[in-house]
Amino acid sequence: MKKFFKIFGFVLLGAIFLGTLGFLYQKSQAKPEVFKDETPLITNIIQKTVATGSVVPRKEVEVKPQVSGIIQKLYVQAGDKVKEGDILAKVKIIPDMVNLNAAEARVAKSKISLEDAQLDYDRVSKLYDKQVVSREDYQKSKIAYEGAKAEVVAAENNLDLIRKGVTKSSEKTTNTLIRATITGMVLDVPVKVGNSVIQSNTFNDGTTIATLADMNDMIFDGKVDETEVGKIREGMPIELTIGAIENEKFDASLEYISPKGEEENGAIQFEIKAKVNLKKDQFIRAGYSANADIVLARRDSVLAVPEGLLQFDNDSAYVEVETQPQQYEKRYVKTGLSDGINIEIKDGITKDDHLKGAKVEPGSQNS
């Protein structure tokens, strides 16, 4: 029995040793590599560049007063629609005391001169009726009288202008009524009743009463990097994406490219402008930030493969086509347009070919 157990123990140890060797051998053997199966697809290839900017009105103006004073009344608020010539505000003039004093003195002097001229005219008229004075003297007296009356009217109008900014004969054309200069929408009214305003002149821009814009004529105003500006031209179609308006695209057409670039954050940027084609009753608020996709080239319904499947041999591109399960051969292809994800294949493979894809990691084949 002792001999039997001894032999059995040696056999058992040998079996364990051989089993261990077999297990280690199997573990050391490299598992065959498995690759994903990819097929070409028929799709549209669109090559485009992106510009950032905002949507603004093409025509936006600031209305400023032609007289200095205090806002007496406002007739509009932001969001109102106005027509050219509509009254926006009324300004109450605060007269300069020196000019006011001079104007009052002028009125007083003109009235004195008128009284003197009238007395002289009345006297000469009686003498002329009696044929005592010549017609020439009569005419001179009459002209002096009419001139004195005109001077009184002019002096009183000047006084009214200094006091109120308007004369009795021209109330509709007064500078104290601030009128819209274009037809459009009121974007902003930065003043309130009681605010002081300064007139616009050669030395001063003046106080803005209101900002007006034609909201039916909107443009995209953006920037394009110098590496892309050489690829675009006027007339190119643009697709706008506005951050504040979800799930909606807006068509536009490029109509201006700046001939001069400006440095921004270390890069040269060129300004571009594009006309936004609004649909009927479509409204976009001024100042919305937007991204513009500018289509540089387009291929519709072409054979394409993901760019990651392409491999390169010197200047030639090729893909690996499956000949038998998990066996591949190199096949050179002629490429076309790329959108950065897919690339057009002009020649070399067909849509029925199966291509070598990414390597499948062990344990992920069933996932």
Side-chain angles (χ1 to χ4, degrees):
M1 289 298 291
K2 290 182 179 180
K3 187 176 180 180
F4 172 77
F5 284 115
K6 185 182 292 186
I7 295 172
F8 178 78
F10 282 121
V11 172
L12 181 61
L13 288 173
I16 294 173
F17 178 74
L18 291 175
T20 303
L21 287 178
F23 175 77
L24 293 175
Y25 176 77
Q26 289 182 354
K27 290 288 290 184
S28 65
Q29 295 299 307
K31 292 185 178 180
E33 293 183 330
V34 179
F35 298 91
K36 286 184 178 180
D37 183 65
E38 302 279 359
T39 56
L41 64 154
I42 303 296
T43 186
N44 299 332
I45 304 292
I46 303 174
Q47 188 181 65
K48 57 189 177 182
T49 185
V50 178
T52 59
S54 58
V55 178
V56 297
R58 183 191 302 276
K59 186 186 293 184
E60 182 175 330
V61 299
E62 294 181 345
V63 180
K64 302 176 184 291
Q66 296 302 312
V67 293
S68 298
I70 295 176
I71 298 295
Q72 187 174 11
K73 192 170 184 179
L74 288 171
Y75 296 95
V76 296
Q77 61 182 357
D80 289 348
K81 295 181 179 180
V82 296
K83 295 181 179 179
E84 183 178 351
D86 286 352
I87 299 175
L88 306 178
K90 184 177 182 180
V91 176
K92 179 182 179 182
I93 293 181
I94 305 300
D96 180 80
M97 297 308 296
V98 175
N99 293 335
L100 179 61
N101 184 64
E104 290 175 342
R106 179 183 172 186
V107 171
K109 288 177 62 177
S110 65
K111 289 183 177 180
I112 293 172
S113 297
L114 176 60
E115 291 178 1
D116 181 64
Q118 185 172 7
L119 289 174
D120 183 66
Y121 174 68
D122 291 342
R123 180 179 61 81
V124 174
S125 294
K126 292 178 181 179
L127 294 176
Y128 178 71
D129 291 340
K130 296 178 180 180
Q131 298 183 350
V132 175
V133 296
S134 65
R135 182 175 180 81
E136 182 180 355
D137 291 336
Y138 171 74
Q139 287 292 112
K140 288 181 180 180
S141 177
K142 184 177 180 181
I143 291 172
Y145 172 61
E146 296 294 336
K149 288 198 297 184
E151 175 60 22
V152 170
V153 173
E156 289 177 341
N157 286 340
N158 182 63
L159 181 60
D160 286 338
L161 286 173
I162 292 175
R163 281 178 173 169
K164 300 180 292 184
V166 60
T167 64
K168 295 178 181 178
S169 60
S170 60
E171 291 184 355
K172 293 183 179 180
T173 57
T174 173
N175 287 338
T176 60
L177 296 178
I178 313 303
R179 299 179 182 273
T181 55
I182 64 170
T183 297
M185 178 178 288
V186 180
L187 297 185
D188 187 26
V189 181
V191 295
K192 297 179 180 179
V193 173
N195 285 161
S196 296
V197 294
I198 302 173
Q199 71 182 55
S200 176
N201 53 44
T202 307
F203 306 102
N204 196 306
D205 289 339
T207 306
T208 299
I209 299 293
T211 302
L212 310 180
D214 182 1
M215 300 300 287
N216 294 319
D217 188 8
M218 306 293 287
I219 63 170
F220 169 78
D221 189 356
K223 302 283 187 179
V224 170
D225 189 81
E226 62 179 327
T227 59
E228 303 288 346
V229 72
K231 303 176 184 178
I232 62 177
R233 65 184 184 277
E234 285 85 352
M236 277 186 164
I238 291 179
E239 188 178 71
L240 292 181
T241 302
I242 298 177
I245 303 177
E246 298 180 355
N247 304 321
E248 190 168 1
K249 304 288 187 180
F250 297 86
D251 294 327
S253 56
L254 186 61
E255 60 181 21
Y256 172 79
I257 305 171
S258 174
K260 180 182 178 182
E262 296 182 357
E263 184 175 353
E264 292 185 10
N265 300 322
I268 303 300
Q269 302 287 321
F270 288 80
E271 183 184 24
I272 64 169
K273 294 180 181 179
K275 175 179 173 58
V276 181
N277 301 317
L278 295 177
K279 300 175 184 177
K280 186 178 180 181
D281 298 327
Q282 199 171 36
F283 177 75
I284 301 179
R285 299 182 186 277
Y288 273 156
S289 60
N291 291 329
D293 291 334
I294 306 174
V295 178
L296 302 177
R298 182 186 183 102
R299 302 285 188 275
D300 291 331
S301 300
V302 295
L303 185 69
V305 299
E307 279 201 355
L309 300 184
L310 279 185
Q311 300 183 57
F312 295 92
D313 182 4
N314 294 325
D315 294 333
S316 301
Y318 68 90
V319 294
E320 293 187 73
V321 180
E322 187 177 50
T323 56
Q324 293 182 17
Q326 293 299 307
Q327 294 186 19
Y328 304 91
E329 69 174 12
K330 183 188 297 185
R331 192 174 297 176
Y332 289 93
V333 293
K334 183 178 180 182
T335 59
L337 191 66
S338 170
D339 61 5
I341 299 176
N342 297 317
I343 186 168
E344 178 188 6
I345 302 297
K346 293 184 175 181
D347 190 24
I349 59 174
T350 68
K351 66 177 181 178
D352 297 323
D353 287 328
H354 293 263
L355 309 179
K356 181 180 179 180
K359 182 180 177 181
V360 178
E361 296 298 330
S364 63
Q365 296 184 40
N366 298 326
S367 60

